Amino acid sequence: MKATSLHTLSFAFFIVSLLSLCATLLHGWRSRERNSERLYTWRGDDYPHVWSLPELRKVFIAHEDSPHYSVETELGIAEWNATLPRGGALLYLGPECRPFTLSLFHQLKCLNIIRDTSIDLYRDVSPLENIAESKYPLVCHCMNYLRQTTMCRADLRLETVRAATGGQMTVSDISHTCKDWTAVYEAAEQNYRDYLAEAGVME
């Protein structure tokens, strides 16, 4: 009798646990469904914090001291200026085409600003006081922004050390696993085309 009661109790506990698990999974599925279907007004703070794109595939990039992206040659400047899509650093989202940017584009724009300012100082074509009045606050913003975003991502890729001291401390020619940034650029280009079409501007 006791064995039968214990068996019944165990079976009942199993059924309750199974129902609880199903309810938890169903709640999670419904929550994700509600989040994916949520409609935003795109006004004030009512907008998604991440640009919704299909999952980006993994790609590999080999870091190297590239002959491209020189800081001062005509070709290098053109390459740096081409690091942003045609719409610049902006995306136009929501029913009213509200402008946003991506951290990716913000970082690249900051690097180009620092490059441009460093060349002015190197060539000594702009007195320091003029740079302080015009570009210096923006350069300070960019330096802090890049510092914070680099720390935020906390890349744990190990890099070999050539020497503990001196100018060449690490070996940079290693590969990193990255997200496919080309898909982001393609989506940004399409966003800009859609924005122009919405505004009635012919390309």
Side-chain angles (χ1 to χ4, degrees):
M1 185 69 177
K2 289 183 178 180
T4 303
S5 299
L6 183 61
H7 176 75
T8 302
L9 182 62
S10 298
F11 181 74
F13 180 76
F14 170 75
I15 293 297
V16 170
S17 300
L18 183 62
L19 291 175
S20 177
L21 176 62
C22 290
T24 301
L25 293 175
L26 181 61
H27 174 74
W29 176 77
R30 285 178 174 173
S31 296
R32 288 193 297 272
E33 187 179 53
R34 283 195 299 270
N35 288 336
S36 64
E37 294 178 353
R38 178 183 171 186
L39 297 178
Y40 294 91
T41 63
W42 298 88
R43 295 177 180 175
D45 294 332
D46 188 31
Y47 61 87
H49 292 170
V50 177
W51 192 26
S52 180
L53 292 179
E55 184 176 357
L56 300 176
R57 67 187 181 94
K58 291 182 179 180
V59 296
F60 299 94
I61 184 172
H63 286 256
E64 60 178 351
D65 294 325
S66 173
H68 295 281
Y69 298 96
S70 173
V71 296
E72 60 176 333
T73 65
E74 184 177 347
L75 175 60
I77 293 172
E79 289 173 328
W80 275 105
N81 290 335
T83 55
L84 295 177
R86 285 187 307 151
L90 295 180
L91 300 173
Y92 300 91
L93 304 174
E96 298 177 0
C97 295
R98 179 177 173 180
F100 290 86
T101 190
L102 294 179
S103 179
L104 166 65
F105 298 151
H106 192 169
Q107 292 171 59
L108 289 170
K109 187 173 182 179
C110 269
L111 283 171
N112 202 15
I113 288 170
I114 295 170
R115 177 205 61 78
D116 184 57
T117 305
S118 66
I119 292 305
D120 285 348
L121 289 172
Y122 176 75
R123 292 175 176 170
D124 198 25
V125 296
S126 296
L128 186 59
E129 58 270 18
N130 290 346
I131 291 179
E133 292 176 1
S134 59
K135 296 181 180 179
Y136 185 72
L138 187 56
V139 170
C140 288
H141 157 78
C142 282
M143 291 292 290
N144 270 310
Y145 183 76
L146 292 173
R147 175 182 62 83
Q148 291 164 2
T149 52
T150 301
M151 293 173 65
C152 177
R153 281 152 181 75
D155 191 347
L156 300 181
R157 177 65 163 91
L158 292 175
E159 299 181 350
T160 57
V161 176
R162 180 180 290 124
T165 59
Q168 297 291 329
M169 289 183 60
T170 60
V171 179
S172 61
D173 53 344
I174 59 174
S175 294
H176 278 254
T177 303
C178 312
K179 294 179 180 179
D180 182 12
W181 60 89
T182 61
V184 181
Y185 276 79
E186 290 170 1
E189 293 282 358
Q190 184 60 53
N191 175 268
Y192 185 60
R193 287 193 292 270
D194 293 343
Y195 168 71
L196 292 180
E198 182 74 18
V201 177
M202 298 294 294
E203 293 190 68

